[in-house]
């Protein structure tokens, strides 16, 4: 293709630039080429932009940013059967190897050879074109916009967390953190039949939004011990013997500690949020209360399709989470705004034709 | 990298051309299809009831023989060629071959149930060729190295052991549970052995052939049972209930075993199996017989039974099977009653078809 692929590239911490790169070639007959239309920004994108690394993932060479995208299929490989040019799709940005034990047991999010957009060394989706295998693209029904399609990625993160938590109808659920992932966890928990959903945050505005959006209760943190906070949570929100499920979408040490105290015996705790690598953890309470404690990482089989279905059926709405849109040329401004904590979800439009 | 082969190397194959019509053919040495493939020089192949069924009836369910296929799927061999991306095996390595490679792209594959993939390429299931050839090409992650002390016959028996591992996985067998296995053929006795290896407290094998019960006693079963024949005029369902009651009484199974593995496909066994399972217990259908049977469904309902089907194997079954054989927990050599050279393959199939009591597992040596 004579056309070029304008891309938004992170050179190293703090330095981004635009570059015309080659249009990706379809490496397999099962691949499709997508014209990217909208890309949301995640805390991890900002983190790479600011620090040039997350843990052992270090940006050693320039890397295209972005991974929360939707687009329109441009062309398809010869073995593609379910998509055609013009189809609008949500893009699942991580392609596993399909051959290792984790992949074959159904946990491809844990694949050691995962190629994930905008996790070094793999380029991300903030470009005009991006290629993916057919089974990592999910057709959007007519009544869902491409903007909503870009929210499928964080929604899938929420779906995966709530599935890890095994929320059942009638459960009481507390979600620490009312950022995009926390909000979406509340929405998914509601769709899964949770009868009580408590949102916790230090930001009043975010909590007020969460209560209008999907939570049934809000809890204001105070300066107190985690044990006291946990006990107060149970009292203030009428949680009886404690919550059935608690999800952390904050990564904050005090939230994690509070959660262990706010769970009922036999309850389930899921770590979704990312903060300090190591924290002080109430392990004896976890032990004697026989809690199920799990991690949650990205998304795996069935999560993306469930996210699309929840949006398509109207059981979850994401339109209200989109608080800003900028053109491709203003991408850096979006990063600056997200870093400053403005709004909920900022979208970057695709390259103009 | 390739092991040196004769320029005139060919691929002698045992082919099912049409129902009841088998022949030897010289086919081309198969080529690797991509960088993940390996070529295996097949050493030993066991015969399964399904192989005989395609030969005699030309179909199992929706799988219909429409064009010639090479037979065989329970094999071991030596890797002679590897694709450039292969890391888990080397040329010269001895392996057990998992004969069904799924598509890796569909929802079943992605959710950890690759045994349910609609586009699986399964050796000797029409239209796919099997392993009764000199060489067989397969994706490298479907070959499993076997340790030096395991011989190639044991390597070929890994396949039915993997079937038994999957059956116990589906049953969710836990330590100290009681298990009744209907059928003391190869799959039945292997289920009994796997159940013991996995900590079952009591395993009881059921069959109508005394010699098979005798073998099962010496293999994995703690106890064996030969059900009485039904008296003339007795309703089959009543008889099945009688058999179930006898089983529970004779072996002090209380309200019934935790787990029943049905490895015969025979209607009277299916019925007795449902009646004998304890309340809340698990019944797994592994055996294949009549497609439609009279099933005690009300019993299944009011006793809140978990009833599941089991087919082939999933992730982890082959490595577990290799380990069960390699560690000596299951002595598969004892299942082999007859051995044939490659040129005698048709006789081997005739022997299995004849169904004599003293014939258990028949293996066919590969092309030298």
């Amino acid at each position: 293709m004579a056309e070029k692929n304008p891309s938004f590239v992170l050179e190293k911490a703090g330095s981004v630039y635009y570059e015309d790169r080659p249009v990706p070639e379809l490496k397999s007959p099962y691949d499709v080429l997508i014209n990217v239309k909208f890309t949301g920004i995640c805390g991890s994108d900002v983190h790479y932009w600011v620090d040039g690394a997350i843990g052992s993932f270090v940006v050693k060479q320039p890397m295209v940013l972005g991974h929360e995208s939707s687009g329109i299929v441009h062309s398809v490989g010869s073995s593609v059967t379910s998509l055609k040019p013009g189809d609008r799709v949500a893009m699942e940005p991580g392609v596993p190897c399909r051959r290792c034990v984790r992949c074959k047991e159904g946990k491809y999010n844990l694949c050691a050879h995962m190629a994930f957009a905008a996790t070094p060394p793999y380029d991300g989706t903030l470009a005009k074109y991006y290629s993916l295998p057919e089974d990592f693209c999910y057709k959007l029904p007519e009544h869902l916009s491409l903007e909503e399609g870009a929210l499928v990625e964080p929604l899938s993160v929420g779906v995966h967390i709530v599935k890890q938590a095994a929320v059942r109808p009638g459960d009481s659920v507390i979600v620490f953190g009312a950022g995009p992932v926390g909000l979406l966890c509340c929405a998914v928990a509601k769709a899964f039949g949770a009868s009580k959903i408590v949102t916790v945050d230090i930001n009043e505005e975010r909590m007020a939004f969460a209560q209008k959006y999907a939570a049934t209760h809000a809890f204001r943190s105070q300066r107190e011990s985690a044990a006291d906070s946990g006990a107060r949570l149970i009292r203030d929100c009428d949680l009886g013997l404690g919550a059935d499920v608690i999800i952390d979408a904050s990564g904050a040490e005090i939230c994690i500690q509070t959660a262990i105290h706010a769970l009922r015996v036999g309850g389930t705790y899921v770590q979704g949020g990312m903060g300090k690598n190591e924290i002080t953890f109430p392990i004896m309470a976890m032990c004697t209360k026989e809690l199920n404690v799990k991690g949650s990482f990205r998304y795996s089989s069935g999560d993306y399709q469930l996210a699309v279905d929840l949006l398509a059926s109207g059981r979850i709405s994401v339109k209200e989470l989109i608080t800003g849109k900028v053109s491709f040329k203003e991408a850096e401004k979006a990063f600056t705004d997200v870093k400053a904590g403005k709004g909920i979800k900022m979208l970057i439009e695709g390259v103009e034709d | 990298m390739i092991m040196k082969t004769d320029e005139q190397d060919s691929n002698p194959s045992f082919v099912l051309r049409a129902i009841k019509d088998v022949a030897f053919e010289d086919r081309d040495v198969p080529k690797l299809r991509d960088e993940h493939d390996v070529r295996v020089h097949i050493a030993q192949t066991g015969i399964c009831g399904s192989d005989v069924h395609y030969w005699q009836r030309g179909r199992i369910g929706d799988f219909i023989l429409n064009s010639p296929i090479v037979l065989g799927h329970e094999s071991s061999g030596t890797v002679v060629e590897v694709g450039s991306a292969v890391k888990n095996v080397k040329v010269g390595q001895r392996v057990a071959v998992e004969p069904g490679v799924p598509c890796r792209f569909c929802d079943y594959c992605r959710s950890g149930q690759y045994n349910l993939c609609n586009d699986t390429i399964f050796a000797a299931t029409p239209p796919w060729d099997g392993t009764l050839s000199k060489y067989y090409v397969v994706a490298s992650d479907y070959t499993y190295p076997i340790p030096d002390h395991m011989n190639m016959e044991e390597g070929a028996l890994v396949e039915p052991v993997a079937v038994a591992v999957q059956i116990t996985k589906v049953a969710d067998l836990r330590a100290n549970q009681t298990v009744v296995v209907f059928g003391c053929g190869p799959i039945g006795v292997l289920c009994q052995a796997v159940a013991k290896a996995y900590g079952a407290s009591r395993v009881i094998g059921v069959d109508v052939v005394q010699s098979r019960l005798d073998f099962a006693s010496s293999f994995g079963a703690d106890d064996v049972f030969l059900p009485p024949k039904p008296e003339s005029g007795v309703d089959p369902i009543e008889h099945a209930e009688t058999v179930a009651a006898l089983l529970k009484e004779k072996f002090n199974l209380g309200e019934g075993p935790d787990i029943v593995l049905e490895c015969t496909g025979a209607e009277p066994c299916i019925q007795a199996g449902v009646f004998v399972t304890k309340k809340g217990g698990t019944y797994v259908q592994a055996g294949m017989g009549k497609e439609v049977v009279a099933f005690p469904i009300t019993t299944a309902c009011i006793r809140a039974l978990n009833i599941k089907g089991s087919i082939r194997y999933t992730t982890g079954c082959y490595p577990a099977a290799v380990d069960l054989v390699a560690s000596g927990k299951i002595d598969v050599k004892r299942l082999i009653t007859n051995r044939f050279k490659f040129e005698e393959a048709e006789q081997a199939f005739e022997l299995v078809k004849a169904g004599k009591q003293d014939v258990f597992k028949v293996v066919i040596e590969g092309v030298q």
Side-chain angles (χ1 to χ4, degrees), chain A residues 28 30 92 97-108 133 135-136 138 300-302, chain B residues 34 36 98 102-107 109-114 139-142 144 315-316:
Chain A
S28 140
Y30 295 102
E92 185 174 350
C97 79
R98 307 184 195 267
R99 292 170 188 273
C100 70
V101 175
R102 302 281 86 80
C103 281
K104 291 193 289 193
E105 72 183 359
K107 298 193 186 178
Y108 66 73
D135 58 319
F136 283 81
Y138 302 78
S300 84
S301 110
Chain B
D34 62 37
H36 295 283
E98 183 173 349
C103 80
R104 309 183 195 267
F105 284 70
C106 68
D107 286 338
C109 284
R110 285 160 45 127
S111 65
Q113 296 175 290
Y114 70 70
S140 62
D141 60 317
Y142 282 78
Y144 305 83
T315 312

Side-chain angles (χ1 to χ4, degrees), chain B residues 155-176:
Chain B
L157 273 280
V158 167
E159 198 273 354
V161 176
V163 170
V165 168
Q166 174 68 11
I167 293 167
T168 50
K169 204 170 156 186
V170 168
D172 196 20
L173 172 74
R174 304 293 175 95
N176 208 51

Side-chain angles (χ1 to χ4, degrees), chain B residues 9 33 71 101 108 125 174 206 216 235 253 261 266 340 346:
Chain B
D9 203 6
R33 296 156 300 183
L71 287 170
V101 181
Y108 292 119
T125 288
R174 304 293 175 95
V206 182
D235 171 43
L253 290 168
L261 305 179
F340 290 87
E346 186 166 3

Side-chain angles (χ1 to χ4, degrees), chain A:
Chain A
M1 200 191 277
E3 218 191 323
K4 292 294 189 140
N5 193 23
S7 308
F8 184 67
V9 185
L10 176 71
E11 187 192 358
K12 54 179 197 255
S15 167
V16 288
Y17 63 94
Y18 290 91
E19 187 178 39
D20 263 344
R21 289 180 163 211
V23 174
E25 273 173 17
L26 297 186
K27 289 192 232 86
S28 140
Y30 295 102
D31 281 354
V32 305
L33 188 69
I34 304 154
N35 186 349
V36 181
K37 286 299 177 190
F38 288 99
T39 302
I41 303 173
C42 159
S44 65
D45 299 306
V46 173
H47 206 103
Y48 280 118
W49 176 52
V50 171
D51 289 344
I54 293 182
S56 57
F57 291 105
V58 180
V59 180
K60 295 194 178 104
Q61 66 205 37
M63 176 185 85
V64 179
L65 290 170
H67 63 277
E68 301 182 4
S69 295
S70 62
I72 299 178
V73 175
H74 178 277
S75 52
V76 304
S78 55
S79 298
V80 171
T81 52
S82 66
L83 293 170
K84 56 187 193 306
D87 281 344
R88 296 147 69 248
V89 294
M91 296 159 62
E92 185 174 350
V95 182
C97 79
R98 307 184 195 267
R99 292 170 188 273
C100 70
V101 175
R102 302 281 86 80
C103 281
K104 291 193 289 193
E105 72 183 359
K107 298 193 186 178
Y108 66 73
N109 55 323
L110 305 180
C111 173
H113 312 284
M114 170 66 81
F116 201 91
T119 290
Y122 301 101
D123 284 323
T125 57
L126 272 165
K128 185 167 185 187
Y129 297 104
Y130 192 78
S131 85
L132 276 175
E134 173 183 15
D135 58 319
F136 283 81
C137 301
Y138 302 78
K139 255 205 287 227
L140 296 170
E142 286 303 311
H143 62 281
L144 286 183
S145 66
L146 282 161
E147 286 90 334
E148 291 168 283
L151 272 280
V152 171
E153 199 274 356
L155 178 55
S156 300
V157 170
V159 164
H160 191 72
I161 290 171
V162 174
K163 271 163 85 174
Q164 283 291 92
V167 170
R168 298 276 176 266
D171 275 352
S172 56
V173 180
I174 303 177
V175 181
F176 283 86
V181 172
L183 291 169
L184 290 167
C185 285
C186 289
V188 178
K190 185 175 173 191
F192 277 33
S195 61
K196 201 172 264 187
I197 301 157
V198 182
T199 179
V200 186
D201 205 299
I202 50 174
N203 181 313
E204 284 287 341
E205 238 185 274
R206 287 194 157 187
M207 277 210 301
F209 181 87
Q211 261 193 299
K212 276 199 336 258
Y213 182 60
T216 58
H217 294 66
F219 178 80
R220 275 146 197 79
S221 332
Q222 283 169 20
R223 276 196 179 281
E224 60 196 335
S225 73
D228 286 344
S229 198
R232 191 167 60 86
L233 241 179
I234 294 175
R235 269 195 323 268
D236 288 1
C237 303
D238 278 320
L239 288 165
L241 298 168
D244 297 305
V245 169
I246 298 187
I247 291 165
D248 178 75
S250 76
E253 183 169 24
I254 185 70
C255 294
I256 298 165
Q257 294 163 341
T258 303
I260 300 307
H261 294 295
L263 276 165
R264 64 163 173 81
V265 295
T268 298
Y269 174 81
V270 177
Q271 187 62 43
M274 295 191 244
K276 276 201 304 187
N277 279 336
E278 269 134 50
I279 55 155
T280 296
F281 186 81
I283 198 153
M284 284 314 299
M286 180 209 119
C287 166
T288 58
K289 289 167 77 168
E290 201 168 278
L291 302 180
N292 304 302
V293 175
K294 295 190 188 181
S296 183
F297 186 66
R298 293 178 180 154
Y299 23 75
S300 84
S301 110
D303 295 333
Y304 247 73
Q305 189 58 59
L306 181 55
V308 171
D309 291 345
L310 287 168
L311 283 178
S313 62
R315 275 173 291 169
I316 294 186
S317 168
V318 289
K319 286 200 204 68
E320 48 270 67
L321 303 186
I322 303 169
T323 50
K325 236 193 294 193
V326 301
S327 69
F328 190 74
K329 291 195 283 286
E330 299 174 281
E332 189 168 5
K333 174 180 181 305
F335 275 76
T336 310
D337 284 350
V338 172
K339 180 167 170 243
K342 290 193 195 158
I344 300 175
K345 206 39 131 168
M346 300 270 328
L347 294 183
I348 301 172
E349 285 167 3
V351 177
E352 267 169 31
D353 282 317

Side-chain angles (χ1 to χ4, degrees), chain B residues 196-265:
Chain B
K196 279 313 281 187
Y198 283 178
S201 62
R202 203 89 182 290
V203 175
I204 294 148
V206 182
D207 207 295
V208 293
V209 176
Q210 187 59 50
S211 64
R212 297 211 151 178
L213 291 174
D214 294 339
F215 179 74
S217 275
S218 75
F219 198 68
D222 293 307
D223 293 292
V224 292
F225 183 68
L226 198 152
K229 284 207 200 353
E231 286 161 28
S232 73
V234 169
D235 171 43
I237 295 294
E238 253 186 67
H239 182 70
E241 285 177 298
T242 303
V243 168
L246 278 169
L247 254 172
K248 284 191 272 201
E249 204 202 305
K250 182 152 194 237
F251 300 107
N252 293 320
L253 290 168
E255 289 200 19
D258 299 300
I259 298 200
V260 167
L261 305 179
E262 208 305 302
C263 301
T264 70

